[in-house]
């Protein structure tokens, strides 16, 4: 039995829940799980989105815009981290004495309802590995509950409710939200310099991951990442390492580039367990495949079952997701990359493929990240043949940094700033043709450019 917190008792006492920002990528899967468990839900949001469409399809009433009356007779109000303290619905709930709970706390409560929670953390790759583990377990009749930061094509959703004690959760370090969880298994993919507006120093960031791993009984750790190994050290968790060299417990050998991704032998203490053939581009996905293999193999899934499931995995939504051919014949792909390391990985993978030009449509996400990692963004974006930048999407922030997309464009050899998704769609339909790969990229709503392209194609 896991140690209960105050929030656990609240959820056991209520039946009617209102969710502010219900269409967010983090809120949507929680709504799906609560709905499946029989809670009466309502929600509100300010923007139409793909996750919001899935919520509405469940029959959950959603109000567009936020007003005090939207909370109705809710017994609990849940809100996402992006919701301001003066949000009218949040204010109304507190004035009425209705309990409120931030989204990460709700996820924490849900993790204490399961006996085998797999928490996937790290600066990069969380959504891909959470999705891959979910797909492997699903196709091998392990029936997991899942909370994913992106859409898994196999289930066409961010989340699902299983009938076993297995739960797979994407576990984000942003403002220490993952410390609300109670993982039994931790998967630590890597540690990179992100969210330093909150953590301030790399030591603080590493310590936060250390605290997360400390809550688990077993930790699967990238043995080639010194900071990850450091974070996982000095805990009671059994450490299992994966990486590219034989000093790891699970490692890759005989690596080669396939048609759509890398293929390699999965090795365990000198023994070849299977040949894994991936359908997602990028060398970084070798590590993601190894991490997923190690977790599922030690849960009892056969090597054959794992590799067959991975062979059918074409990526999570918005993770180098090919969307089709448009305009004069260019191909469009969409990617969530919003950190320089992720941008570099995605563009490097794209450059390995057989295209004349790789064009990056990048929407910088948050002023703080753009300012703090400005030079790194410039270096990563130089990998593209051409770059189209949108204005910075501030999300929850005010631009106190004095940074602008035009500043970034000046650092690039072939870049322009274009405001308005319709204008961007006009430009790429006019400029690009067969043999070109256009990638929309960013952590905001840049994917809507693709929706415009799809609408025009009909």
């Amino acid at each position: 039995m896991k140690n209960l917190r105050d929030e656990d008792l609240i959820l056991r006492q209520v039946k009617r829940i209102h969710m502010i920002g219900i269409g967010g990528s983090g809120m949507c899967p929680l709504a799906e799980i609560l709905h499946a468990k029989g809670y009466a839900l309502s929600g509100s949001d300010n923007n139409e989105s793909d996750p919001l469409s899935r919520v509405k399809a469940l029959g959950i009433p959603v109000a567009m815009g936020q007003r005090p009356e939207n909370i109705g007779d809710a017994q609990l109000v849940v809100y996402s981290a992006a919701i301001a303290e003066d949000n009218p619905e949040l204010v109304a709930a507190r004035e009425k004495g209705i309990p409120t709970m931030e989204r990460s706390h709700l996820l924490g409560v849900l993790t204490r309802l399961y006996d085998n929670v797999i928490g996937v953390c790290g600066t990069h790759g969380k959504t891909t590995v959470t999705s891959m583990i979910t797909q492997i377990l699903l196709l091998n009749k392990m029936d997991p509950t899942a909370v994913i930061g992106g859409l898994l094509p196999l289930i066409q959703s961010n989340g699902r409710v299983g009938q076993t004690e297995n739960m797979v959760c994407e576990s984000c370090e942003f403002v220490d939200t993952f410390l609300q969880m109670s993982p039994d298994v931790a998967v630590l993919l890597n540690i990179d310099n992100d969210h330093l507006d909150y953590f301030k120093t790399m030591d603080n960031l590493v310590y936060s991951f250390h605290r997360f791993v400390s809550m688990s009984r077993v930790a699967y750790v990238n043995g080639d990442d010194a900071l990850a190994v450091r974070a996982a050290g000095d805990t009671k968790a059994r450490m299992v390492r994966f990486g590219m060299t034989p000093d790891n417990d699970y490692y890759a050998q005989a690596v080669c580039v396939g048609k759509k991704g890398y293929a390699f032998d999965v090795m365990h203490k000198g023994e070849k367990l299977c040949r894994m053939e991936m359908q997602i581009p990028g060398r970084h996905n070798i590590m993601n495949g190894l991490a997923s293999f190690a977790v599922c193999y030690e849960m009892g899934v056969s090597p054959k079952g794992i590799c067959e499931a991975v062979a059918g995995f074409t990526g999570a939504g918005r993770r180098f997701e090919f969307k089709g051919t448009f305009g004069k014949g260019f191909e469009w792909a969409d990617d969530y990359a919003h950190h320089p390391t992720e941008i570099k990985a995605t563009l490097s993978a794209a450059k390995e493929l057989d295209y004349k030009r790789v064009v990056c449509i990048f929407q910088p996400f948050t002023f703080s990240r753009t300012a703090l990692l400005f030079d790194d963004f410039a270096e990563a974006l130089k990998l593209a043949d051409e770059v189209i930048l949108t204005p910075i999407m501030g999300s929850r922030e005010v631009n106190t940094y004095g940074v602008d997309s035009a500043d970034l464009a000046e650092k690039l050899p072939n870049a322009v700033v274009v405001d308005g998704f319709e204008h961007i769609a006009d430009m790429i339909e006019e400029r690009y043709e067969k043999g070109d790969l256009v990638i929309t990229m960013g952590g905001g709503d840049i994917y809507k450019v693709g929706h415009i392209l799809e609408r025009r194609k009909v």
Side-chain angles (χ1 to χ4, degrees):
M1 183 70 178
K2 298 183 179 180
N3 293 327
L4 298 182
R5 307 182 189 183
D6 292 342
E7 293 97 333
D8 299 77
L9 301 177
I10 293 173
L11 197 65
R12 295 181 180 197
Q13 296 167 355
V14 305
K15 280 298 178 184
R16 297 187 301 280
I17 301 174
H18 180 76
M19 305 181 76
I20 310 173
I22 196 170
S25 62
M27 290 280 272
C28 171
L30 303 192
E32 292 174 304
I33 292 171
L34 290 171
H35 175 75
K37 287 190 172 293
Y39 287 90
L41 300 184
S42 62
S44 63
D45 215 301
N46 287 324
N47 300 296
E48 295 289 348
S49 65
D50 292 346
L52 188 62
S53 296
R54 293 198 297 279
V55 168
K56 290 179 177 179
L58 293 174
I60 298 171
V62 177
M64 298 309 295
Q66 273 128 28
R67 297 176 295 277
E69 58 269 23
N70 289 343
I71 64 176
D73 60 354
Q75 298 167 307
L76 171 67
V77 172
V78 178
Y79 59 98
S80 69
I83 300 302
E85 284 295 312
D86 61 354
N87 179 280
E89 295 178 14
L90 195 56
V91 170
R94 289 170 175 164
E95 287 177 347
K96 291 182 177 182
I98 300 172
T100 61
M101 189 182 297
E102 195 272 322
R103 177 256 175 202
S104 64
H105 290 251
L106 174 60
L107 176 58
V109 172
L110 294 177
T111 64
R112 286 182 283 282
L113 299 179
Y114 296 84
D115 287 341
N116 186 43
V117 175
I118 303 161
V120 181
C121 70
T123 310
H124 316 296
K126 293 185 292 293
T127 299
T128 295
V129 172
T130 306
S131 298
M132 200 179 301
I133 291 174
T134 300
Q135 176 147 326
I136 293 167
L137 296 180
L138 263 174
L139 294 179
N140 286 276
K141 304 188 187 310
M142 302 286 276
D143 195 22
T145 293
V147 176
I148 310 170
L151 183 141
L152 174 58
L154 181 68
I155 59 175
Q156 283 298 302
S157 178
N158 296 53
R160 73 179 301 272
V161 182
Q163 300 303 313
T164 69
E165 292 297 323
N166 300 317
M167 184 182 197
V168 190
C169 286
E170 184 165 335
S171 309
C172 184
E173 74 278 10
F174 172 66
V175 299
D176 279 328
T177 54
F178 63 173
L179 298 183
Q180 302 300 327
M181 297 173 58
S182 295
D184 300 283
V185 175
V187 184
L188 178 49
L189 300 172
N190 43 62
I191 299 178
D192 204 349
N193 58 344
D194 201 9
H195 303 306
L196 292 184
D197 54 319
Y198 171 77
F199 289 107
K200 306 304 180 186
T201 69
M202 289 300 293
D203 284 343
N204 290 341
L205 178 59
V206 170
Y207 180 63
S208 186
F209 281 104
H210 171 80
R211 291 174 65 193
F212 181 80
V213 171
S214 296
M215 293 187 283
S216 69
R217 54 179 169 76
V218 57
Y220 295 86
V221 180
N222 182 344
D224 296 350
D225 187 309
L227 291 180
V229 172
R230 178 178 145 201
D234 194 27
T235 72
K236 293 181 181 179
R238 175 174 67 91
M239 191 191 306
V240 179
R241 300 190 188 196
F242 58 89
M244 299 301 294
T245 57
D247 56 336
N248 291 290
D249 297 290
Y250 295 86
Y251 55 97
Q253 279 191 349
V255 177
C256 67
V257 182
K259 188 174 182 180
K260 294 184 178 179
Y262 279 85
F264 54 93
D265 292 341
V266 178
M267 305 295 294
H268 178 51
K269 298 181 179 178
E271 177 189 0
K272 176 183 172 180
L273 298 181
C274 75
R275 179 86 179 157
M276 184 173 283
E277 296 186 7
M278 308 195 77
Q279 303 300 310
I280 45 177
R283 191 175 182 86
H284 57 286
N285 278 312
I286 297 174
M287 299 298 280
N288 293 337
L290 286 169
S292 302
F293 183 98
V295 171
C296 296
Y297 179 66
E298 297 200 355
M299 286 180 66
V301 183
S302 71
K304 182 174 183 287
I306 296 172
C307 289
E308 286 180 351
V310 170
F313 180 74
T314 54
R318 301 213 64 219
R319 271 66 182 178
F320 212 135
E321 183 181 11
F322 282 96
K323 305 293 283 189
T325 303
F326 297 87
K328 299 175 183 176
F330 67 84
E331 287 195 56
W332 165 48
D334 186 44
D335 196 279
Y336 187 69
H338 56 283
H339 182 282
T341 300
E342 296 164 351
I343 294 168
K344 184 177 180 181
T346 297
L347 291 178
S348 295
K351 296 289 280 187
E352 291 176 354
L353 304 176
D354 188 22
Y355 291 98
K356 291 188 300 184
R357 290 182 292 187
V358 172
V359 182
C360 178
I361 316 295
F362 181 58
Q363 179 186 48
F365 189 64
T366 76
F367 301 110
S368 60
R369 182 184 286 114
T370 307
L372 292 170
L373 303 177
F374 185 86
D375 291 338
D376 295 331
F377 275 116
E379 284 304 308
L381 289 167
K382 285 177 183 176
L383 289 172
D385 296 298
E386 297 181 19
V387 176
I388 298 173
L389 296 166
T390 75
I392 298 169
M393 184 174 186
S395 185
R396 57 193 173 270
E397 296 182 343
V398 176
N399 189 7
T400 59
Y401 299 85
V403 67
D404 189 271
S405 290
D407 303 327
L408 196 54
E410 289 180 2
K411 297 289 185 179
L412 301 172
N414 199 357
V416 294
V417 180
V418 179
D419 192 1
F421 293 164
E422 292 281 354
H423 294 149
I424 291 173
D426 291 341
M427 177 178 288
I428 60 180
E429 285 188 319
E430 173 63 30
R431 185 177 294 189
Y432 303 113
E433 56 193 23
K434 185 176 181 179
D436 293 331
L437 174 63
V438 176
I439 310 177
T440 45
M441 191 178 293
D445 60 352
I446 187 63
Y447 64 86
K448 291 179 180 178
V449 171
H451 289 184
I452 296 170
L453 297 175
E454 288 173 332
R455 187 176 70 242
R456 292 179 180 182
K457 190 176 181 179
V458 174

